[in-house]
């Protein structure tokens, strides 16, 4: 009898492992699934600045924001992440990637080697991006200087070191849905909604996260503690936080970093503004239109 | 007549110095608040909510210059905590860079005052000056919330 039980237990364990392996398999997009496309480099550049790629991927402490050699350390409750080299360098960067590799990374959070990226790379937002925007961005990245130097591995303790577990995380927090426009709203509002929730990934910092590191959806945009562990916080960008701002005030923050009270933005937002300041003015206006339309939501109580 | 004026000036200077010594946190906050107030006026002029005035523009840059010059002395080692401050420990970890940035801010502000002739030149010069603000606030100030 105990022998039969042992066999049963072993069988269950094997099945469970197989199921785990199956459901945590990284998803990819096949090259054959991509229709013909002629890249629009101007749009690619807009996506580059809307996405704020440079904010994390430029080599730290240098003026040239187009050298995407990576290396910036990002602290988190799960360990320290190091932004990789996404310059077109063939071996150290993404020079050898094809379009399908890039689309898989942006939409599915999967690397060309077929492993999971950690969601510190904000693909839960990038999955909303239009295919053409991603392909234009890829074409634009290819025009930037190749930077040599591989970035060190992330510094994560167990169990977070196990990338396969990210597959479970994705089941919980990656829905695979593209951006859905709101037909009753204006074209400007929809453009803003797309930028904010897609490429610009505002919610990734401006929302509280649960213990698994997923965004608390009902408090989306309501700010929260500093994800890097500092004793400051991230501001609430719903009317509960910036209700006194006009749309013009929001535009100005994104344009010059100037706040309505004469102060200027600081912390990580400084690097964000370095990107949004280079967007077309209409896009900043669209973001402001959308942000000012958000419902007021109270953020987590400060300790 | 000159003597009482002089006495008042000396007294005022002394009081400022004493305040700076006794409460550097409050003093540097007041300086930054002054910058913010002037910066707000600059925005209003640039966006046409207030007519451009060369005198006001000069005052803005004079305020900035003064803040850049005075601030480095207002972060003594004993002022890391103990008051209402958003200064990060990085200020003291890389004090030389911090001081250099403030010195650059003062120098740029002085040059900006000289370069401002009218509304257009003021707008262009302000855009440059403002890059100094984020440069320090990114690294040396606690995240706002």
């Amino acid at each position: 009898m105990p022998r039969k039980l042992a066999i049963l237990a072993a069988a269950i364990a094997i099945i469970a492992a197989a199921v785990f392996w199956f459901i945590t398999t990284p998803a990819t997009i096949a090259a054959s699934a991509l229709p013909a496309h002629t890249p629009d480099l101007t749009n690619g550049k807009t996506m580059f600045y809307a996405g704020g790629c440079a904010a994390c991927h430029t080599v730290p402490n240098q003026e040239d924001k187009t050298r995407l050699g990576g290396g910036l350390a990002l602290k988190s409750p799960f360990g320290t992440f190091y932004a990789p080299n996404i310059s077109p360098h063939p071996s150290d960067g993404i020079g050898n990637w094809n379009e399908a590799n890039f689309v898989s990374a942006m939409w599915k959070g999967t690397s060309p080697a077929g492993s999971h990226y950690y969601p510190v790379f904000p693909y839960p937002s990038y999955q909303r991006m239009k295919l053409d925007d991603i392909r234009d961005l890829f074409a634009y990245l290819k025009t930037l200087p190749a930077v040599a130097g591989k970035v060190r591995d992330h510094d994560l303790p167990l169990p977070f070191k196990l990338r396969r577990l990210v597959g479970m995380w994705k089941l919980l927090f990656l829905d695979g849905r593209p951006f859905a426009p709101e037909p009753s709203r204006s074209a400007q509002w929809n453009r803003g909604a797309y930028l904010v929730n897609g490429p610009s990934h505002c919610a990734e910092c401006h929302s509280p996260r649960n213990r698994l590191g997923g965004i608390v959806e009902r408090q989306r945009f309501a700010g929260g503690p500093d994800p890097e562990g500092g004793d400051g916080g991230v501001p609430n960008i719903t009317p509960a936080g910036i209700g006194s701002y006009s749309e013009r005030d929001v535009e100005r923050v994104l344009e010059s970093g100037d706040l309505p009270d004469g102060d200027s933005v600081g912390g990580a937002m400084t690097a964000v503004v370095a990107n949004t300041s280079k967007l077309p003015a209409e896009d900043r206006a669209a973001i402001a239109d959308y942000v000012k339309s958000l419902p007021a939501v109270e953020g987590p109580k400060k300790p | 007549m000159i003597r009482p004026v002089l006495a008042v000036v000396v007294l005022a200077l002394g009081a400022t110095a004493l305040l700076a010594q006794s409460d550097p946190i409050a003093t540097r906050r007041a300086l930054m608040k002054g910058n913010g107030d002037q910066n707000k006026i600059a925005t209003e002029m640039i966006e046409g909510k207030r007519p451009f005035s060369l005198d006001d523009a000069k005052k803005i840059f004079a305020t900035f210059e003064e803040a850049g010059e005075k601030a480095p002395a207002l972060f003594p080692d004993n002022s890391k905590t103990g008051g209402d401050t958003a200064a990060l420990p990085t200020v003291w970890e890389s004090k030389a860079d911090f001081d250099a940035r403030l010195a650059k801010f003062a120098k740029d502000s002085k040059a900006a005052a000289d370069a401002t002739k009218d509304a257009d030149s003021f707008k262009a010069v302000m855009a440059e000056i403002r890059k100094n603000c984020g440069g320090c606030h990114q690294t040396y100030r606690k995240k706002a919330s």
Side-chain angles (χ1 to χ4, degrees):
Chain A
M1 195 60 190
R3 201 193 144 126
K4 271 190 184 164
L5 212 62
I7 291 171
L8 187 69
I12 290 173
I14 288 168
I15 291 168
V19 168
F20 171 79
W21 203 252
F22 180 73
I23 62 173
T24 60
T25 302
T28 52
I29 302 291
S32 58
L34 302 179
H37 175 70
T38 309
D40 173 350
L41 286 176
T42 308
N43 183 49
K45 193 175 184 178
T46 300
M47 284 300 131
F48 177 74
Y49 288 122
C53 316
C56 284
H57 289 284
T58 34
V59 179
N61 305 318
Q62 57 148 34
E63 285 301 310
D64 186 351
K65 302 296 180 200
T66 61
R67 291 176 57 81
L68 306 177
L72 179 77
L74 274 167
K75 285 188 198 143
S76 85
F78 306 100
T80 301
F81 295 96
Y82 292 87
N85 183 335
I86 59 161
S87 79
H89 191 277
S91 55
D92 297 340
I94 64 168
N96 280 341
W97 290 27
N98 61 32
E99 269 192 314
N101 292 148
F102 190 69
V103 176
S104 297
M106 297 287 284
W107 270 357
K108 302 295 179 188
T110 303
S111 78
S115 64
H116 293 298
Y117 284 125
Y118 290 98
V120 64
F121 170 49
Y123 53 81
S125 291
Y126 295 157
Q127 64 172 340
R128 311 266 182 253
M129 286 178 72
K130 292 177 192 134
L131 181 59
D132 285 355
D133 285 344
I134 292 180
R135 297 172 86 177
D136 292 346
L137 170 60
F138 184 60
Y140 178 72
L141 289 177
K142 292 271 193 174
T143 68
L144 300 178
V147 181
K150 202 134 195 111
V151 172
R152 54 159 297 172
D153 285 341
H154 303 315
D155 185 10
L156 308 172
L158 283 168
F160 308 118
K161 223 180 165 68
L162 303 172
R163 281 185 187 260
R164 195 79 192 190
L165 290 176
V166 176
M168 298 294 285
W169 191 93
K170 286 181 179 175
L171 289 175
L172 294 170
F173 302 113
L174 198 68
D175 58 25
R177 284 205 295 266
F179 172 71
E182 195 77 64
S184 64
R185 300 277 197 165
S186 70
Q188 173 175 275
W189 185 93
N190 273 298
R191 172 72 175 171
Y194 173 69
L195 291 173
V196 165
N197 291 292
S200 303
H201 63 277
C202 309
E204 301 286 341
C205 285
H206 286 282
S207 310
R209 287 178 183 269
N210 59 29
R211 269 151 70 191
L212 294 172
I215 287 176
V216 180
E217 278 304 326
R218 66 190 160 76
Q219 287 180 312
R220 203 172 166 82
F221 302 116
D226 177 2
E228 292 183 73
D231 59 357
V234 183
N236 184 331
I237 53 169
T238 77
I242 57 166
S244 65
Y245 288 28
S246 67
E247 275 182 38
R248 175 68 202 132
D249 289 338
V250 177
E251 279 177 61
R252 196 185 308 107
V253 170
L254 300 172
E255 186 186 339
S256 65
D258 277 288
L259 298 165
D261 65 354
D263 194 355
S264 79
V265 299
M269 194 63 192
T270 318
V272 173
V273 169
N275 288 284
T276 54
S277 63
K278 298 200 177 69
L279 279 177
E282 314 85 86
D283 280 341
R284 282 191 298 269
I287 292 173
D289 185 355
Y290 173 72
V291 167
K292 284 303 291 177
S293 79
L294 291 170
V297 179
E298 286 301 329
K301 289 242 174 352
K302 276 174 215 123
Chain B
M1 192 56 202
I2 195 84
R3 275 172 112 185
V5 173
L6 212 63
V8 168
V9 167
V10 166
L11 213 65
L13 278 176
T16 316
L18 202 69
L19 182 69
Q21 220 169 33
S22 63
D23 195 349
I25 292 176
T27 314
R28 71 200 188 206
R29 279 188 72 90
L31 275 183
M32 289 298 154
K33 177 81 173 57
N35 283 349
D37 292 345
Q38 292 299 313
N39 191 37
K40 208 172 156 181
I41 293 171
T43 300
E44 287 170 5
M45 288 207 286
I46 289 168
E47 295 186 1
K49 282 181 208 138
R50 168 198 283 256
F52 174 77
S53 140
L54 194 59
D55 285 348
D56 287 353
K58 302 264 180 201
K59 190 177 165 216
I60 290 167
F61 295 128
T63 306
F64 288 175
E65 188 187 348
E66 189 193 351
E69 278 171 354
K70 285 185 177 168
L74 295 171
F75 291 83
D77 282 342
N78 63 2
S79 70
K80 294 178 187 175
T81 53
D84 187 7
T85 179
L88 287 172
T90 43
V91 168
W92 292 274
E93 287 159 13
S94 36
K95 188 72 167 53
D97 174 69
F98 181 72
D99 290 354
R101 283 171 184 271
L102 284 163
K104 178 181 174 295
F105 177 48
K107 193 168 147 264
D108 288 357
S109 302
K110 191 170 179 349
D114 296 337
T116 299
K117 309 281 178 226
D118 52 25
D120 285 340
S121 53
F122 175 66
K123 190 176 169 181
V125 158
M126 267 314 287
E128 285 305 307
I129 279 288
R130 281 173 167 165
K131 291 180 181 160
N132 286 289
C133 309
C136 269
H137 290 164
Q138 177 169 25
T139 325
Y140 297 114
R141 186 175 67 169
K142 192 157 62 177
K143 286 197 175 87
S145 56

